[in-house]
């Protein structure tokens, strides 16, 4: 049973007994509807043109894993958890801040909980995400709209404790793709050793900036792709974690809908009303 990395925020589930290539959601929907009933429709939806996947791009997973759930491991789950475990290598007792509590951010929370982080602060402009974050390991929630321009000092103050009155998180994670937030995430790191991991994909041509002082005082700015995971070996391992109950996936799949409702899936995503949607066909 192959699991392929997929793009954007929606996933397509098909009986794994019928593998192959995929199609673009918007431009090829008509093509799909014209296909002869019963003819093979190969692979997964990833918002690209028709293509074939190289062998290296697929990973065999256990037969008893529900494909309409573990398809999410092909992107968001592995990216979020992997950013914590592989890229940042978060240690037990760490303090961390996660910016953006969508499908990626919630999986960063899961990764932090697995790693044994003590203080896990979630930052999101949607107050509905507070309950979601707490479900996946978040210990504190901050809505930037309630804090205003003083977000970074506010977060730094939250992380002060005991002998450490400098403050700042050991690790921060940007899951928004917003370059302003990326800067805030870096500057909310602890000077001397703080790491800020950029996961979110910024718009084409966007640039990030900060004062050099933020880096020469010991902070580290680091990017990650697919959570630094090795797809062929790490994806099956994360599927096992799911089957063993170590991580959650089912609650994050908030909508399941047929292919002819795919436009509705996009609208739900844009309005922030879904965490992840699975499209079945």
């Amino acid at each position: 049973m192959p699991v392929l990395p997929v793009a954007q925020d929606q996933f397509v589930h098909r009986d794994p007994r019928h593998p192959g290539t995929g199609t673009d959601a918007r431009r090829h929907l008509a093509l799909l509807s014209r296909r002869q009933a019963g003819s093979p429709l190969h692979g997964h939806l990833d918002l690209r043109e028709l293509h074939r996947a190289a062998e290296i791009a697929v990973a065999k997973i256990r037969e008893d894993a529900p494909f309409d759930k573990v398809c999410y491991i092909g992107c968001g789950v592995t990216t979020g958890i992997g950013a914590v475990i592989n890229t940042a290598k978060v240690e037990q007792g760490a303090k961390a801040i996660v910016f953006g509590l969508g499908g990626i951010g919630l999986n960063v929370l899961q990764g932090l909980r697995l790693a044994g982080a003590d203080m896990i602060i979630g930052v999101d402009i949607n107050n509905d995400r507070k309950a979601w974050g707490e479900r996946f390991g978040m210990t504190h929630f901050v809505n930037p709209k309630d804090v205003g321009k003083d977000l970074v000092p506010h977060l730094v103050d939250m992380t002060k404790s005991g002998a450490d009155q400098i403050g700042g998180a050991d690790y921060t994670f940007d899951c928004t793709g917003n370059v302003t937030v990326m800067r805030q995430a870096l500057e909310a790191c602890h000077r001397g050793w703080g790491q800020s991991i950029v996961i979110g994909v910024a718009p084409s041509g966007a640039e990030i900036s900060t004062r050099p002082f933020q880096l020469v005082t010991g902070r580290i700015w680091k990017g990650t792709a697919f959570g630094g995971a090795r797809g062929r070996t790490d994806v099956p391992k994360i599927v096992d974690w799911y089957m063993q109950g170590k991580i959650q996936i089912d609650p994050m799949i908030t909508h399941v809908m047929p292919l002819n409702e795919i436009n509705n899936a996009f609208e739900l995503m844009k309005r922030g009303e879904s965490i992840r949607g699975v499209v079945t066909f």
Side-chain angles (χ1 to χ4, degrees):
M1 181 191 302
V3 174
L4 301 179
V6 298
Q8 298 294 337
D9 294 301
Q10 310 299 328
F11 295 84
V12 169
H13 158 60
R14 184 179 165 94
D15 189 324
R17 292 170 295 183
H18 303 285
T21 60
T23 86
D24 180 285
R26 295 185 182 279
R27 286 177 285 175
H28 295 292
L29 205 56
L31 180 148
L32 296 179
S33 66
R34 292 198 299 269
R35 294 185 71 92
Q36 188 174 17
S39 63
L41 177 61
H42 301 299
H44 71 289
L45 178 72
D46 69 349
L47 308 185
R48 289 184 242 174
E49 297 295 328
L50 291 164
H51 71 284
R52 292 185 181 277
E55 181 184 0
I56 193 65
V58 299
K60 189 176 189 307
I61 63 173
R62 54 196 288 173
E63 295 289 339
D64 59 338
F67 202 68
D68 58 342
K69 302 295 191 299
V70 299
C71 59
Y72 188 17
I73 293 174
C75 185
V77 176
T78 303
T79 298
I81 293 176
V84 174
I85 295 173
N86 301 322
T87 306
K89 296 180 172 60
V90 173
E91 71 280 352
Q92 196 166 12
K95 297 176 183 177
I97 305 173
V98 181
F99 293 79
L101 302 181
I104 301 295
L106 293 178
N107 281 293
V108 173
L109 295 179
Q110 288 207 88
L112 291 167
R113 181 169 61 183
L114 279 173
D118 275 353
M119 186 180 199
I120 305 173
I121 302 172
V123 180
D124 202 289
I125 60 174
N126 183 348
N127 283 325
D128 292 341
R129 296 298 165 91
K130 181 177 185 291
W132 278 102
E134 291 170 344
R135 188 170 188 172
F136 288 91
M138 182 184 72
T139 60
H140 301 74
F141 177 77
V142 174
N143 186 331
K145 292 180 177 179
D146 299 332
V147 178
K149 294 182 179 180
D150 297 323
L151 176 62
V152 171
H154 178 79
L155 294 171
V156 169
D157 285 343
M158 288 180 68
T159 57
K160 292 178 180 178
S161 62
D164 180 10
Q165 290 303 304
I166 295 174
D170 302 306
Y171 302 95
T172 64
F173 300 84
D174 167 68
C175 308
T176 68
N178 182 309
V179 294
T180 299
V181 177
M182 292 176 190
R183 177 171 182 164
Q184 292 172 329
L186 174 73
E187 297 179 0
C189 280
H190 201 295
R191 73 182 188 215
W193 61 78
Q195 291 188 43
S196 186
I197 313 301
V198 177
I199 306 173
V201 179
S204 177
E207 297 181 351
I208 55 176
S209 64
T210 191
R211 292 178 298 138
F213 178 80
Q214 298 294 334
L215 299 175
V216 299
T217 48
R219 296 173 183 85
I220 298 170
W221 224 346
K222 189 183 290 188
T224 186
F226 198 46
R230 300 176 180 88
R232 296 293 290 270
T233 54
D234 288 351
V235 166
K237 178 176 67 178
I238 295 174
V239 170
D240 287 340
W241 290 352
Y242 165 70
M243 297 298 288
Q244 295 161 7
K246 293 181 179 179
I247 62 172
Q248 300 181 69
I249 294 178
D250 296 30
M252 284 185 279
I253 298 176
T254 53
H255 296 80
V256 178
M257 57 204 78
L259 187 61
N260 61 7
E261 294 182 19
I262 192 168
N263 287 338
N264 183 42
F266 279 105
E267 292 306 315
L268 288 167
M269 178 184 69
K270 290 176 182 176
R271 295 196 300 265
E273 296 176 13
S274 73
I275 301 298
R276 284 296 183 267
V278 171
V279 177
T280 61
F281 61 96

